[in-house]
Amino acid sequence: MPRALSHTTQIIKLNGERVTRTYTAEIINYVEQGKNKSHSAVGIEFDLTFYGMDQDGLLNYRMEIQKRFLLNEKFSVIRKVDKAQKIALKVAAINDMLEFKADKSFKLNKVVNTQEIRQKWKEIKTDLLKEYPDLLKMTSDLDWQLQEDNIQRVFIEDNFYQFFFTNIFYQEFEDKKLIEQPKVTANALGNIDIPILEQKKISKQDIGFTKVIITSDAEMDIDHKKFPLAKLNGFLGKLPTNPGDKHTLDFDYKGTYKVKPEFGLVTKGKLEYSFEVKDLYKKATTITFNLEKDE
């Protein structure tokens, strides 16, 4: 009689201490279109505080930005910012204080303080338009994004928040089985959002299950009902292609989380992904975060 194969199911419990922890993070974007190349990078230091569970079983968090700074291509802090950078920093200030709810897997569920965000934007918008009257369209677009019907999607589909709110706790990691999770990559090409399917697995662990590395990869979800095929064709049509040429959109995605299960904490995270139409267009993004005071 053949021996039955044993299966090991690992579950990582989320830390439940009501404390404040400090993180640093970087978000880097690189775009190459023909001979034109652009680079943008922002660094942030923020505190994340857990306030306990509500009556629906959702977890209450507050994220407060302590520092935000722009980085050049050598990853040094930009001391003298240009107009576009100055505007970007002012607009980003609406995110300085965010209150979130997450589920027990540490997946972002909703933003709570939407009224405060809109009020802060109203003040920033007034100052911006006084200094830069040509920003009327940009500010109107942000008005629309911050409406109550739209604001949740803006944050839930934000690439940084999707990666930081890891959605790995209380999941069943069974041997080499992949955990599949649908996501949306915002502004993947230009302002086009692309649905993806992400797979996570435990790729490395020590004997005592005290140090764990979880890796993730993903593929475009071309069967998704909101897959933007028409928009992608329109984007490709604006590139300098020749009649009869055939081009494909290549997608590469690699993520890593370093986890300490005994403390229920992710101590480091790194995500690198890119969308590329070979020889015509490439957008590459890198997101990292680090827990500054490890347990």
Side-chain angles (χ1 to χ4, degrees):
M1 183 174 180
R3 291 179 61 186
L5 295 175
S6 61
H7 294 278
T8 301
T9 300
Q10 302 284 14
I11 295 177
I12 302 170
K13 296 181 180 180
L14 178 64
N15 189 289
E17 296 176 289
R18 299 190 185 191
V19 298
T20 297
R21 289 189 168 86
T22 298
Y23 293 82
T24 55
E26 292 180 354
I27 303 129
I28 304 162
N29 285 295
Y30 174 80
V31 178
E32 183 175 345
Q33 186 170 344
K35 295 181 179 180
N36 297 321
K37 299 177 181 179
S38 64
H39 169 277
S40 64
V42 61
I44 54 175
E45 179 183 309
F46 62 92
D47 291 337
L48 185 73
T49 305
F50 174 51
Y51 286 98
M53 184 182 296
D54 68 13
Q55 60 185 6
D56 297 318
L58 294 174
L59 311 178
N60 298 306
Y61 287 92
R62 175 180 293 169
M63 181 182 289
E64 184 173 2
I65 305 292
Q66 301 298 336
K67 296 179 183 178
R68 180 184 285 108
F69 42 88
L70 301 179
L71 302 167
N72 61 26
E73 293 190 55
K74 295 181 179 180
F75 300 105
S76 298
V77 177
I78 298 173
R79 302 295 180 185
K80 189 175 181 180
V81 296
D82 60 25
K83 175 184 173 181
Q85 293 166 334
K86 184 179 179 181
I87 293 168
L89 286 172
K90 283 191 173 184
V91 172
I94 64 174
N95 301 331
D96 280 354
M97 177 73 75
L98 297 173
E99 294 181 1
F100 294 111
K101 288 186 181 290
D103 64 23
K104 69 175 186 177
S105 71
F106 201 54
K107 178 183 178 182
L108 181 59
N109 181 275
K110 69 180 294 185
V111 183
V112 177
N113 62 325
T114 54
Q115 280 296 109
E116 290 86 347
I117 293 170
R118 280 191 289 270
Q119 180 57 40
K120 189 162 189 176
W121 165 238
K122 184 178 178 180
E123 297 165 2
I124 292 171
K125 174 184 173 181
T126 299
D127 291 340
L128 278 175
L129 290 176
K130 281 182 181 178
E131 190 170 0
Y132 307 110
D134 57 323
L135 294 181
L136 187 59
K137 184 182 185 307
M138 184 274 282
T139 56
S140 296
D141 288 344
L142 199 49
D143 285 340
W144 181 84
Q145 291 179 45
L146 296 182
Q147 290 177 10
E148 195 61 31
D149 291 343
N150 305 318
I151 193 170
Q152 296 299 335
R153 184 179 62 81
V154 169
F155 283 97
I156 289 172
E157 295 183 358
D158 179 90
N159 298 318
F160 172 74
Y161 296 122
Q162 282 192 95
F163 183 59
F164 180 76
F165 286 91
T166 53
N167 195 14
I168 63 170
F169 297 95
Y170 297 98
Q171 304 276 7
E172 293 187 356
F173 291 93
E174 185 177 345
D175 295 333
K176 298 297 182 181
K177 180 182 177 183
L178 297 173
I179 294 176
E180 190 169 83
Q181 298 167 343
K183 289 187 174 183
V184 172
T185 304
N187 301 315
L189 286 87
N191 61 355
I192 301 173
D193 301 338
I194 297 182
I196 64 172
L197 285 174
E198 182 189 49
Q199 299 89 28
K200 291 190 178 86
K201 68 177 181 180
I202 292 176
S203 60
K204 189 176 181 180
Q205 65 183 73
D206 62 358
I207 295 176
F209 201 63
T210 60
K211 295 181 180 179
V212 170
I213 293 178
I214 293 176
T215 54
S216 61
D217 56 25
E219 59 186 25
M220 289 183 288
D221 188 2
I222 59 175
D223 295 323
H224 194 284
K225 64 180 181 180
K226 291 187 178 180
F227 189 80
L229 184 59
K231 289 183 179 179
L232 289 175
N233 286 334
F235 182 88
L236 181 61
K238 294 177 182 178
L239 298 177
T241 56
N242 296 317
D245 284 352
K246 292 184 178 180
H247 297 278
T248 59
L249 175 61
D250 296 320
F251 175 51
D252 187 58
Y253 184 103
K254 298 294 178 187
T256 303
Y257 297 104
K258 291 186 177 181
V259 186
K260 288 194 171 181
E262 61 183 324
F263 299 111
L265 294 170
V266 177
T267 59
K268 291 181 183 292
K270 183 174 183 179
L271 173 64
E272 297 176 293
Y273 64 89
S274 65
F275 292 86
E276 181 177 12
V277 182
K278 193 172 182 180
D279 299 326
L280 294 175
Y281 179 91
K282 182 177 182 179
K283 181 176 182 181
T285 298
T286 301
I287 298 171
T288 61
F289 68 84
N290 295 280
L291 175 62
E292 287 303 293
K293 290 186 179 180
D294 206 345
E295 293 285 343

